[in-house]
Amino acid sequence: MTPAKVVLVGADGCKAGWIAVLREPGSTPRNPDAAPSVDVFPTFAALLAAIPHDAIVAVDMPIGLPEFSQKGGRGPEAQVRPLLGARQSSVFSIPSRAALYADTGGFTTIEAWYAAHIRASEVARTTSDPPRGVSIQAFGIFSKIREIDALLIARPELRGRVFESHPEVAFCRLNGDRAMLLPKKIKGSVNPAGMAERKALLCRHGYDMDFLDQPPPRGAAADDFLDAAAMMLIAARIVGGKAKPFPNPPLADGFGIPVAIWA
């Protein structure tokens, strides 16, 4: 397959579910008659149901879970951090599958959410060397990691269509292996200068600034939108044979799911 013959999708988790930037076959971001589209889906399964069965998806979410967590993460994390310089803190280690599934409740109260975080950290410490708990940042996306994990366990055919990537690694690779100079966020708030740096890079790879400047769909943040746009370019690189997996070749988890960050 080539990028001209397959639907390309870049996805990122967001408050409302998943934001996806989609490019139809034969289109380019600059072609006004076939511009990319952006939409939000409540679940990853809903996103997959809305696209063709052969579409290629690059998603900002860990794929493939360890049974036991080593220092530095699963393997991909340790390989990509040195590429990112000051941006490497954006790559956090993924705990064991047992920790991910330690508490899967609905967390209807903040107290229940924090209790679940404590429970996950307890399990993580018993399944890691050196013993390590779970960061609040990582715990916040556990439910989304489980969404993709469950789908790839139940539907092995998806393993050749859904690929893990990471926005800062993607931006670095798209920038000639040079990490972004400015942070995307500062103290939890969007950094306009960092966003402008990334938008300029995306435009150099074919996006139109009008597309990137539009308000994101309801339920998604502006940085989620840019990350999904970068993921779509990685999907194109995967289809075109230009993407590289970290590590190369990819590892595999206990279910045979590939473990690698593609960019």
Side-chain angles (χ1 to χ4, degrees):
M1 292 185 294
T2 66
K5 296 181 180 179
V6 63
V7 169
L8 304 171
V9 181
D12 189 18
C14 64
K15 185 176 181 180
W18 300 85
I19 182 172
V21 172
L22 180 149
R23 186 198 296 176
E24 295 286 348
S27 69
T28 64
R30 288 198 189 281
N31 183 346
D33 296 322
S37 59
V38 58
D39 205 350
V40 165
F41 299 88
T43 65
F44 201 76
L47 188 163
L48 292 175
I51 60 177
H53 67 88
D54 60 348
I56 299 298
V57 182
V59 59
D60 172 22
M61 198 59 59
I63 292 175
L65 304 176
E67 301 307 313
F68 196 86
S69 180
Q70 305 289 339
K71 183 178 181 180
R74 301 166 298 163
E77 296 92 344
Q79 287 207 8
V80 301
R81 284 192 188 104
L83 305 175
L84 301 183
R87 307 279 80 80
Q88 64 181 278
S89 62
S90 65
V91 181
F92 50 84
S93 299
I94 305 305
S96 67
R97 175 172 267 113
L100 262 293
Y101 284 88
D103 195 330
T104 59
F107 316 142
T108 53
T109 66
I110 192 67
E111 292 80 11
W113 194 88
Y114 279 114
H117 173 247
I118 292 170
R119 168 67 178 148
S121 285
E122 290 172 348
V123 175
R125 290 188 188 97
T126 66
T127 53
S128 59
D129 182 23
R132 179 186 177 95
V134 176
S135 71
I136 286 288
Q137 183 187 23
F139 183 71
I141 63 169
F142 271 20
S143 63
K144 285 184 164 54
I145 297 174
R146 290 194 299 265
E147 266 193 77
I148 295 182
D149 186 55
L151 283 167
L152 294 184
I153 290 172
R155 299 170 57 186
E157 73 278 5
L158 293 175
R159 299 173 191 179
R161 290 182 48 209
V162 179
F163 296 84
E164 174 185 351
S165 188
H166 184 283
E168 290 306 308
V169 181
F171 287 123
C172 175
R173 295 281 287 154
L174 293 168
N175 196 40
D177 292 321
R178 297 184 302 275
M180 295 286 93
L181 296 175
L182 303 171
K184 190 170 54 184
K185 285 186 171 182
I186 297 177
K187 296 182 179 180
S189 297
V190 166
N191 175 27
M195 295 287 281
E197 182 187 23
R198 287 159 180 78
K199 284 183 181 181
L201 176 61
L202 292 174
C203 286
R204 293 203 297 273
H205 284 272
Y207 278 102
D208 188 273
M209 189 63 80
D210 287 342
F211 177 77
L212 299 175
D213 278 343
Q214 68 179 303
R218 186 174 181 177
D223 58 313
D224 299 330
F225 179 24
L226 285 199
D227 289 350
M231 295 295 94
M232 192 277 284
L233 293 176
I234 298 305
R237 285 170 62 89
I238 290 169
V239 173
K242 297 179 180 179
K244 177 182 177 181
F246 297 86
N248 189 9
L251 306 172
D253 73 1
F255 286 90
I257 297 170
V259 180
I261 293 173
W262 287 78

